[in-house]
Amino acid sequence: MTKYNSIMVLGAGQMGAGIAQVAAQAGIKVKLNDLKEEFVNKGLATIKSNLQRSVSKGRMDSSEAEEVLSRVRPSMALDDAADVDLVIEAIVENLDIKANVFQQLDQICPPKVVFASNTSSLPITQLAGFTNRPDKFIGMHFMNPVPVMKLVEVIRGLATSDAVAESIVELSKVMGKVPVTVNDYPGFVANRVLMPMINEAIYAVFEGVGTPEAVDEIMRLGANHPMGPLALADLIGLDTCLAIMNVLHDGFGDSKYRPCPLLKQYVQAGWMGKKTKKGFYNYE
Ligand code: CAA
């Protein structure tokens, strides 16, 4: 059971679309919001194709898939958040942009509405500080690809209330996920552990120790990872990987978190991984 019957997901990219899908599958009404109609339509198309795959695999019948899809409504205006129970933000990993959006939402939404951020590493306490409801602000960090990955890392800000933390744990379970609650600290847990490994794999390529294929195969066959760290970096997005390394580096002030120069250079070149069809691998 969840008290959140209607939510807005902000950002219709790969994370936002995935979050909207798993919420709709759980029977929750979703407004999928983005700046432009074409972005929202792209997110809806991703959800539709995932649902069609589930139908073709016999996990869902077609009427159920249609019902799920009908629960996701497009939205291009932040004002549409006025009547939802919860907003889950999954927009670009930029503090200023997120701050601006949360300041606007704080004016639009009644005080009882809870705000969750899917940020991969920006401080929850700092984001909450841009609103007048820090007790109703929490991190809800989904993993990519959202429909497949079991975890939701639930991050409590300094002021998050117990009631809100418990309700988000409940909601995550209703969405078919396994929530694990942690406190707000740079990178939380998932990315504090995962991202230095990915960065180290990039150093191994940068220093000429091995090709991307060799590094990935070693980790797949030698450590039983489902995909190698460089393929995973491409899936996550190299801009996101760099942003997370910068948060760890700034947050801990420890040189062990310095982002690899090759990662910086790829991002400067616009090679962001799968989404730009070029990263450590080509996806044309
Ligand atoms: N969306 C929806 N479903 C997807 C998908 C996607 N993007 N990618 C794969 N799937 C589905 C496939 O359709 C397939 O489903 P079926 O049961 O219908 O066949 C299933 O997942 C398995 O896919 P594949 O057979 O194609 O390939 P696989 O067995 O290698 O699994 C994978 C793919 C699930 C991505 C797997 O390689 C994996 O677990 N990789 C690691 C992912 C990971 O570590 N994610 C966390 C990243 S960190 C993060 O997200 C946090 C952050 O802040 C950066």
Side-chain angles (χ1 to χ4, degrees):
M1 271 294 287
T2 176
K3 63 177 197 162
Y4 303 111
N5 298 311
S6 150
I7 69 175
M8 175 180 272
V9 177
L10 275 187
Q14 54 179 354
M15 298 306 286
I19 296 166
Q21 181 187 329
V22 294
Q25 283 178 199
I28 298 166
K29 281 187 283 173
V30 183
K31 293 181 185 183
L32 183 59
N33 176 285
D34 213 314
L35 295 171
K36 289 191 190 163
E37 197 175 0
E38 62 180 284
F39 300 155
V40 178
N41 286 343
K42 199 168 168 215
L44 287 169
T46 302
I47 297 173
K48 199 170 175 186
S49 105
N50 285 344
L51 292 173
Q52 272 164 355
R53 186 176 168 87
S54 290
V55 172
S56 69
K57 288 252 163 176
R59 285 192 294 258
M60 197 182 266
D61 61 41
S62 53
S63 62
E64 197 183 342
E66 266 167 41
E67 235 174 78
V68 171
L69 200 60
S70 73
R71 279 189 211 112
V72 186
R73 296 277 171 211
S75 157
M76 267 72 69
L78 271 191
D79 285 347
D80 294 340
D83 62 355
V84 300
D85 304 319
L86 168 73
V87 178
I88 304 178
E89 169 274 315
I91 63 172
V92 62
E93 284 294 274
N94 175 300
L95 186 68
D96 293 337
I97 297 175
K98 285 192 200 281
N100 181 277
V101 164
F102 278 119
Q103 277 161 346
Q104 290 184 57
L105 284 171
D106 204 30
Q107 302 298 316
I108 293 165
C109 299
K112 65 173 196 276
V113 177
V114 171
F115 293 168
S117 176
N118 177 58
T119 180
S120 48
S121 62
L122 293 172
I124 296 303
T125 307
Q126 191 177 9
L127 290 174
F130 296 114
T131 73
N132 291 309
R133 62 188 84 196
D135 56 321
K136 297 196 188 68
F137 200 108
I138 194 159
M140 209 177 173
H141 184 208
F142 290 82
M143 302 292 129
N144 190 359
V146 179
V148 182
M149 302 297 285
K150 281 271 159 224
L151 180 73
V152 175
E153 191 178 29
V154 175
I155 304 112
R156 294 188 64 144
L158 213 51
T160 309
S161 75
D162 290 344
V164 164
E166 279 158 25
S167 69
I168 292 297
V169 162
E170 277 308 308
L171 171 67
S172 306
K173 289 181 187 164
V174 167
M175 288 165 97
K177 301 297 176 194
V178 178
V180 180
T181 305
V182 296
N183 292 317
D184 187 22
Y185 215 53
F188 320 131
V189 171
N191 280 322
R192 179 177 179 169
V193 177
L194 176 69
M195 217 36 86
M197 182 204 62
I198 287 177
N199 195 47
E200 205 57 39
I202 300 171
Y203 265 111
V205 174
F206 180 57
E207 290 166 2
V209 183
T211 61
E213 288 82 359
V215 171
D216 274 356
E217 194 166 17
I218 283 167
M219 294 310 287
R220 275 192 293 108
L221 304 183
N224 250 1
H225 289 191
M227 64 203 297
L230 299 165
L232 182 57
D234 277 355
L235 175 72
I236 292 167
L238 301 186
D239 51 339
T240 302
C241 293
L242 179 59
I244 296 167
M245 285 313 296
N246 282 330
V247 166
L248 292 172
H249 197 205
D250 293 347
F252 290 113
D254 189 326
S255 64
K256 76 179 176 183
Y257 297 111
R258 74 223 177 281
C260 178
L262 188 63
L263 174 61
K264 288 189 190 168
Q265 221 176 10
Y266 271 39
V267 172
Q268 283 163 354
W271 300 350
M272 311 291 189
K274 242 181 150 174
K275 64 185 169 191
T276 59
K277 304 206 182 325
K278 181 152 180 58
F280 291 100
Y281 298 94
N282 288 318
Y283 300 89
E284 290 296 354

